[in-house]
Amino acid sequence: MLRWLVISVLFILWALPGHAAVKTIGHGESLRLDPSGFPQDMKAAYAVMQTKCTQCHSLERTVVAVSTGVAPISGRPFDRSAATAYGQKMLRKQNSRMSREEVKAVVDLLTYLVDNPQSRKQ
């Protein structure tokens, strides 16, 4: 069911050319953000995201959430408060192995992407 949901969301993104989507590289499980247009501090935060977040899941989940505004697993809205809530959740998870600073950097990046739609256009 989850795989079908993710595939459906990705198809919708592909079918709506006017949608302001995240600039991405790759497809499916290898889908990731293209940080080339990010400010330097956001590039550093993206490096943390690539290293830490992919220990448990692919970046595809993050790309879908940021580009659609909907968290792919829960189906709930993905906005500033959701980004903060996910960061707090990662701090509580023992196996996330993320420091407070790393979580803050990733939450700052997610907030940047949510708040700056122009940074997300392809």
Side-chain angles (χ1 to χ4, degrees):
M1 180 68 175
L2 172 63
R3 187 174 184 93
W4 180 85
L5 175 66
V6 171
I7 290 170
S8 297
V9 168
L10 291 174
F11 178 76
I12 290 168
L13 287 174
W14 174 78
L16 298 172
H19 188 271
V22 174
K23 189 172 181 183
T24 61
I25 302 168
H27 302 284
E29 288 285 319
S30 67
L31 186 65
R32 61 194 189 282
L33 300 171
D34 177 1
S36 62
F38 292 178
Q40 197 59 39
D41 58 334
M42 294 298 115
K43 286 180 182 178
Y46 184 68
V48 171
M49 180 187 285
Q50 280 187 299
T51 303
K52 295 294 186 164
C53 300
T54 58
Q55 293 177 44
C56 298
H57 60 81
S58 72
L59 288 180
E60 175 187 30
R61 187 181 298 181
T62 306
V63 172
V64 170
V66 170
S67 63
T68 65
V70 177
I73 302 296
S74 68
R76 293 185 179 139
F78 189 84
D79 54 15
R80 289 177 66 95
S81 62
T84 301
Y86 280 108
Q88 291 170 348
K89 180 180 174 182
M90 290 304 110
L91 276 175
R92 289 191 303 266
K93 282 188 148 195
Q94 289 183 350
N95 63 345
S96 75
R97 295 183 292 271
M98 292 182 75
S99 70
R100 211 172 265 289
E101 294 78 21
E102 291 167 331
V103 169
K104 183 181 179 330
V106 171
V107 169
D108 288 348
L109 173 61
L110 295 172
T111 301
Y112 166 77
L113 292 168
V114 167
D115 287 350
N116 296 290
Q118 69 276 9
S119 70
R120 303 182 325 208
K121 291 184 182 175
Q122 291 185 2

